[in-house]
Amino acid sequence: MTEASRTGTEIEGRIMDMSTSADLKALEERAYRQTWNDGLLDIFAGAGILAIGILFRTELAGLAGMFVAVLLMPFWAVAKKLITVPRLGYVSFGEARKATERSWAIRMIVLGVLALSVGTVLYMAVRSGGEGIGGRLGELNAGFWLMGLLLAVGLVAGGLMIGVRRLLVYGLVMVLAMTTAALLGFEVPDYLVAGGAVILLSGLAVLGRFLRRYPRRAGAGEG
Amino acid sequence: MIASDDGSGSPALDEPDLASLGDLDRLIHEPARLSVLASLYVVAEADFVFLQNQTGLTAGNLSSHMSRLEAAGYLAVTKSFVGKRPQTVLSLTPEGRTAFDRYRRTMEDVLHGLSDR
């Protein structure tokens, strides 16, 4: 297709799409979502959950496995820089979007601190055992449910924050993996490994689609 | 619709004002440039590659439209290097933002007046 012909019907069609099916807010939301459709978040989240599950299984580090996800964060940033930006391009969003991100980040941190506090109290109660509430919580396998629910809520909250529905499905995957594990008598590491693997594989598929859709442009950046 | 017959020549409130089409900013009215401006209007800034992906324009085409919009004072263009790679970052100037707003309002008014009621 020649450059001249591209400026004709194709571009006019895009503009018509803009005016008919999308307002400016939708245009901004679509651009924002595109920056998350590289599959990297999925890969790192899946790998993090998988690693936590494996660490639990091997009893190497117990709760310290949680830090695996934190340790992966710098690698995620580097991957974004090396894979996403050269293909999709660099974009900085407006103040309204940044304010929304800040507000969601605060909610996630509050949720995380709350969950950690509840988890610690539950852990100590169960550890003390006996006939009291700790013993009953132990019988209910509270840690089993808490762990999965926290991850599911985190994924759903993340999905709502960035407007990517895939993450809501991952939340559902975690709940399904947890429920199935409970019904079949599996342990926490089993559903973490299963859920993490599903998210990781899905992320790899999304990354493959992203790489096909946005090939590295020759001479990119030279305007 | 009842036509205005007050002798003023001005359209009634519910009539399309086609005369305002003559005031349209023709620099913005070109589809490719409109696409560039709309893409930049919704972000703080973006680079050349991002705009290419958003608009579907070729590098040469985008570069030429970018130059015209920059010359009109609608775009601010910053060229730099990220490592060894050149990076061209674009953003709308306040004039560009105002011009796009004005264009959008005019088009909305005219198209609303022409709707199939």
Side-chain angles (χ1 to χ4, degrees), chain B residues 44-95:
Chain B
E45 60 180 20
D47 74 357
F48 195 81
V49 179
F50 187 82
L51 276 177
Q52 249 191 290
N53 282 320
Q54 294 300 301
T55 59
L57 293 168
T58 60
N61 222 335
L62 176 58
S63 188
S64 124
H65 290 301
M66 189 181 85
S67 300
R68 290 197 65 177
L69 290 167
E70 187 187 13
Y74 291 173
L75 284 192
V77 179
T78 314
K79 296 193 179 194
S80 61
F81 278 86
V82 178
K84 288 180 180 174
R85 293 171 63 84
Q87 189 184 40
T88 305
V89 176
L90 303 96
S91 61
L92 279 191
T93 60
E95 293 78 29

Side-chain angles (χ1 to χ4, degrees), chain A residues 1-4 6-8 10-12 14-15 18-19 24-25 27-28 30-32 34-35 81 85-95 98 213-214 216-217 219-223, chain B residues 30-35 38-39 41-63 65-66 77 79 82 85-89 100-101 104 111:
Chain A
M1 187 182 282
T2 64
E3 289 194 6
R6 278 190 83 99
T7 57
E10 188 182 329
I11 304 300
E12 276 169 22
R14 283 171 183 269
I15 298 299
M18 262 182 219
S19 62
L24 289 168
K25 192 171 186 301
L27 196 65
E28 191 265 355
R30 192 181 70 114
Y32 185 70
Q34 279 176 345
T35 63
K81 200 173 165 187
V85 174
R87 288 173 172 81
L88 183 65
Y90 154 82
V91 60
S92 167
F93 288 90
E95 203 42 54
K98 285 175 185 160
R213 189 169 178 185
Y214 300 105
R216 219 179 238 268
R217 291 173 187 271
E222 294 176 52
Chain B
E30 202 284 326
R33 285 194 289 273
L34 177 55
S35 174
S39 299
Y41 186 83
V42 297
V43 301
E45 60 180 20
D47 74 357
F48 195 81
V49 179
F50 187 82
L51 276 177
Q52 249 191 290
N53 282 320
Q54 294 300 301
T55 59
L57 293 168
T58 60
N61 222 335
L62 176 58
S63 188
H65 290 301
M66 189 181 85
V77 179
K79 296 193 179 194
V82 178
R85 293 171 63 84
Q87 189 184 40
T88 305
V89 176
F100 182 78
D101 265 334
R104 200 162 54 92
L111 292 176

Side-chain angles (χ1 to χ4, degrees), chain A residues 142-209:
Chain A
F144 177 95
W145 296 103
L146 186 73
M147 181 70 142
L149 281 175
L150 274 179
L151 286 169
V153 169
L155 287 164
V156 169
L160 292 173
M161 177 177 127
I162 60 177
V164 174
R165 270 175 277 180
R166 216 168 51 242
L167 293 190
L168 308 185
V169 177
Y170 294 161
L172 189 64
V173 165
M174 283 312 301
V175 171
L176 282 176
M178 179 176 66
T179 312
T180 309
L183 290 173
L184 298 178
F186 288 110
E187 298 295 323
V188 174
D190 302 312
Y191 76 72
L192 288 181
V193 168
V198 169
I199 295 170
L200 176 62
L201 289 174
S202 167
L204 288 171
V206 174
L207 175 63
R209 195 179 59 189

